[in-house]
Structures are given as structure tokens and as C-alpha cells.
């Protein structure tokens, strides 16, 4: 999968006056994680809506809800993964 590269600030990465491209699923996965449904005109159901979990705590119910949303979005976009987990610090791990 080819995509336009974003830098660490989520801005488009432009080098020598042109967009830089990236291959692989990492960037589309990151975009899904930081997007909310309705952010993308051409695909209004794309996005994990993770902002709704801010200050929710990391109990079992919250972890299950987050992993379920992430898995659903990965499946909807045909992105391959073997597991989705959340660390004690709240970091989402997709393998």
C-alpha cells in the first residue's frame, strides 16, 4: 500500500517541492487511530474515535472497547494484523 508520508506532527512531509511517499500499512493504521468518524468525507465511518476514551481509565471494559474499535477499523480497511493489545500505560500495540 502506498501513501503520502506524514511527519511526526501529522503534517504532510514535503521534500524538494513534492510529497514524500511511503509503502506499507504503518501510516494508514496510525491515521485510523488518530481519526474520528466523520473526519474523512470520502469514508465517513473511518476512524477509531479514541478521543471518547480520554480520562476513561484503563479498566477491562475500556481496554476491550478500544481493542474492539481498533480491530473493526483494521478489518474494514483490509489492514492485516495478528493481535491488538493495550499496555498498562495506554499504548496501543498492533502486531
Amino acid at each position: 500500500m502506498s501513501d503520502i508520508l506524514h511527519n511526526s506532527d501529522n503534517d504532510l512531509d514535503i521534500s524538494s517541492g513534492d510529497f514524500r511517499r511511503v509503502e506499507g500499512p504503518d501510516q494508514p493504521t496510525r491515521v485510523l487511530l488518530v481519526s474520528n468518524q466523520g473526519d474523512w468525507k470520502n469514508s465517513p465511518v473511518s476512524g477509531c474515535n479514541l478521543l471518547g476514551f480520554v480520562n476513561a481509565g484503563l479498566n477491562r471494559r475500556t481496554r476491550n472497547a478500544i481493542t474492539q474499535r481498533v480491530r473493526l477499523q483494521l478489518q474494514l480497511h483490509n489492514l492485516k494484523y495478528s493481535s491488538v493489545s493495550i499496555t498498562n500505560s495506554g499504548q496501543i500495540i498492533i502486531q
Side-chain angles (χ1 to χ4, degrees), residues 38-77:
D39 284 352
W40 302 99
K41 183 178 180 179
N42 63 339
S43 183
V45 297
S46 293
C48 291
N49 291 332
L50 296 180
L51 286 176
F53 293 105
V54 172
N55 296 324
L58 282 177
N59 57 42
R60 188 174 57 197
R61 177 179 283 169
T62 302
R63 287 175 191 255
N64 289 340
I66 291 170
T67 56
Q68 183 178 7
R69 282 190 189 185
V70 171
R71 285 183 184 131
L72 176 64
Q73 287 296 319
L74 293 172
Q75 291 169 358
L76 287 173
H77 294 276

Side-chain angles (χ1 to χ4, degrees), residues 3-7 11-14 19-22 27:
D3 200 0
I4 297 172
L5 183 64
H6 293 97
N7 62 23
D11 290 327
L12 296 176
D13 195 345
I14 299 174
F19 296 114
R20 293 186 57 205
R21 298 178 63 86
V22 65
Q27 184 161 299

Side-chain angles (χ1 to χ4, degrees), residues 73-90:
Q73 287 296 319
L74 293 172
Q75 291 169 358
L76 287 173
H77 294 276
N78 296 318
L79 296 169
K80 305 291 184 216
Y81 69 96
S82 60
S83 68
V84 176
S85 61
I86 301 175
T87 66
N88 289 334
S89 64

